[in-house]
Amino acid sequence: MPESIKTARDAVSLVASVWGINDYIPRVVVSELVTNAVRHSAPDDHIVVRAYQMNGKRFIEVWDQADGMPRTQTPAETDECGRGLILLSFLVERWGVRPLNERGKVVYAELRP
């Protein structure tokens, strides 16, 4: 599933070009969200990426079938992971998670204007 991270970055890059914005932040955001989804999902689970505009705001969403909710952590200096959501919070207007009635959740990020 690591190839899905590149596919998501490429798709969001294309959307950013349609929106007429630089693709750096959208690519970083989708990389973090999809990486987390891949890391915490079963190998045969589905992951869906959606990028859209609504009411003048731009969103990136990643739907996955894993039940665990993302949370920011306070990693030790030697930890190799656990910083992504902290960094994400500095890059976007806001981010959050919506549990689904069925299995899984949607993690979203609202890009800064």
Side-chain angles (χ1 to χ4, degrees), residues 20-57:
I21 64 171
N22 185 295
D23 70 345
Y24 181 75
I25 298 296
R27 287 173 63 89
V28 171
V29 168
V30 80
S31 290
E32 174 59 24
L33 297 182
V34 172
T35 297
N36 285 348
V38 168
R39 179 175 287 136
H40 299 289
S41 295
D44 59 339
D45 282 354
H46 295 287
I47 296 171
V48 177
V49 176
R50 193 170 99 147
Y52 63 94
Q53 294 185 96
M54 183 173 64
N55 300 326
K57 298 177 181 180

Side-chain angles (χ1 to χ4, degrees), residues 54-110:
M54 183 173 64
N55 300 326
K57 298 177 181 180
R58 296 180 178 112
F59 295 90
I60 295 173
E61 294 181 343
V62 175
W63 304 11
D64 68 55
Q65 295 177 291
D67 289 324
M69 295 295 136
R71 58 182 166 70
T72 55
Q73 302 174 21
T74 306
E77 286 183 28
T78 56
D79 288 347
E80 292 185 14
C81 57
R83 295 171 183 80
L85 293 174
I86 295 169
L87 294 172
L88 183 75
S89 67
F90 288 103
L91 297 175
V92 300
E93 189 69 25
R94 64 188 173 103
W95 73 273
V97 60
R98 292 188 310 269
L100 299 174
N101 289 334
E102 60 276 8
R103 193 172 143 221
K105 65 190 165 299
V106 176
V107 182
Y108 65 88
E110 178 186 337

Side-chain angles (χ1 to χ4, degrees), residues 1-17:
M1 288 215 288
E3 65 277 358
S4 60
I5 299 165
K6 179 185 181 327
T7 300
R9 275 196 308 262
D10 292 346
V12 166
S13 183
L14 180 61
V15 171
S17 71

